[in-house]
Amino acid sequence: MDTWDELLDTAGPAALLTLDGVIRNLNAAMATALGKSAEQCLGRGFGDLWPASQRMSAESLVTHAAKTKAVAMRVLDFPARGGAPVASLIEARPVKDPASDEQLVWVHALDARNDLTSLLIPFRMATTAAHLGLWMYSPNDHQLEWLGGAPAVAALSVRQRVKPAYEDCSLTLSLYPEGNRRRLALIFRPDTDRIISNCYFLSGTVLRLPDHSCLNLYEPGTVRRLLDAAAPTSGLFASEQVIEVDGWQYFDAVVEALTAA
């Protein structure tokens, strides 16, 4: 059995990709999870086979492993077949083909059924990179456990308000800056060239037309940048316990900073 076979001989989804994300080989479990046949997957870009809401995350996972030559992890939702999407912890790891010395990326799903805390790994990595702290909430015990990091935000929540009329819908990112009990609410409402997600698809996403620049309010890096952008505004209302502002006014600044980086 050669190395390729060993890497793909697993019960869970697994695939071997080129450094630019093209599928070189995959097992039946990966093809099934992506809702395609193996023939439909071979030679295709790995990110292209995911739903639009997961595409950027899948592509960046592979890119990170290929460029840094380090292990990368991310939670991705495999497409659903008549049910809810299946969340899996996906690992991307650089490997070398022993026959040709070609550098490849091995992507596979980790088995987290007996260790659900492993699903926190990518979130801890993301919050650390964004200079945010991370708490884990245990609903059965009604307790919060501090998992470390910089306590720039004591808590945050994303609330989706769905109404019969799309123009009445909204997405609200609520931030509770560490050190006080005030709530900073960034409210995103649809407008002429501004779109918000009002369903499970692209949940938490706000998008600007016509360039289709978007941010996801669930991503730690986005939360950190929006918090920094809104900090001066928050200081203007020092006496108010709840500060509600239009989130779009910070969207452009965050996107432009990301584009320039």
Side-chain angles (χ1 to χ4, degrees), residues 130-183:
H131 304 293
L132 293 174
L134 182 65
W135 293 83
M136 181 172 67
Y137 177 62
S138 301
N140 294 333
D141 301 326
H142 301 288
Q143 292 182 345
L144 281 169
E145 178 185 355
W146 175 244
L147 300 180
V153 178
L156 65 90
S157 66
V158 178
R159 182 166 58 88
Q160 188 174 33
R161 183 183 182 188
V162 179
K163 295 290 184 178
Y166 174 65
E167 59 269 20
D168 295 329
C169 297
S170 65
L171 274 175
T172 301
L173 172 63
S174 293
L175 303 169
Y176 300 81
E178 200 275 336
N180 61 69
R181 296 184 178 182
R182 295 188 301 151
R183 177 169 71 92

Side-chain angles (χ1 to χ4, degrees), residues 72-76 87-90 110-129 132-139 143-148 220:
M73 295 183 186
R74 187 153 297 170
V75 174
L76 295 174
S88 299
L89 178 59
I90 308 297
L110 297 176
D111 186 356
R113 289 173 297 179
N114 297 320
D115 183 16
L116 295 179
T117 57
S118 64
L119 291 172
L120 289 170
I121 294 173
F123 295 115
R124 296 189 70 165
M125 294 170 65
T127 52
T128 299
L132 293 174
L134 182 65
W135 293 83
M136 181 172 67
Y137 177 62
S138 301
Q143 292 182 345
L144 281 169
E145 178 185 355
W146 175 244
L147 300 180

Side-chain angles (χ1 to χ4, degrees), residues 4-186:
W4 277 29
D5 290 335
E6 292 176 354
L7 295 178
L8 298 178
D9 186 21
T10 173
L16 283 163
L17 319 175
T18 62
L19 296 185
D20 56 357
V22 175
I23 296 178
R24 180 65 58 81
N25 206 346
L26 76 165
N27 64 7
M30 177 63 82
T32 300
L34 293 172
K36 308 284 184 182
S37 67
E39 291 74 18
Q40 291 174 315
C41 296
L42 291 173
R44 297 277 303 277
F46 183 66
D48 295 337
L49 299 175
W50 290 81
S53 60
Q54 300 289 297
R55 192 166 298 150
M56 185 177 298
S57 295
E59 291 175 346
S60 64
L61 172 69
V62 177
T63 299
H64 181 83
K67 289 187 175 181
T68 65
K69 294 182 172 57
V71 175
M73 295 183 186
R74 187 153 297 170
V75 174
L76 295 174
D77 293 337
F78 279 112
R81 283 191 171 184
V86 179
S88 299
L89 178 59
I90 308 297
E91 179 187 87
R93 179 186 295 269
V95 295
K96 181 183 290 187
D97 178 10
S100 63
D101 283 340
E102 180 184 6
Q103 293 289 338
L104 300 171
V105 176
W106 175 40
V107 176
H108 66 115
L110 297 176
D111 186 356
R113 289 173 297 179
N114 297 320
D115 183 16
L116 295 179
T117 57
S118 64
L119 291 172
L120 289 170
I121 294 173
F123 295 115
R124 296 189 70 165
M125 294 170 65
T127 52
T128 299
H131 304 293
L132 293 174
L134 182 65
W135 293 83
M136 181 172 67
Y137 177 62
S138 301
N140 294 333
D141 301 326
H142 301 288
Q143 292 182 345
L144 281 169
E145 178 185 355
W146 175 244
L147 300 180
V153 178
L156 65 90
S157 66
V158 178
R159 182 166 58 88
Q160 188 174 33
R161 183 183 182 188
V162 179
K163 295 290 184 178
Y166 174 65
E167 59 269 20
D168 295 329
C169 297
S170 65
L171 274 175
T172 301
L173 172 63
S174 293
L175 303 169
Y176 300 81
E178 200 275 336
N180 61 69
R181 296 184 178 182
R182 295 188 301 151
R183 177 169 71 92
L184 173 61
L186 307 184

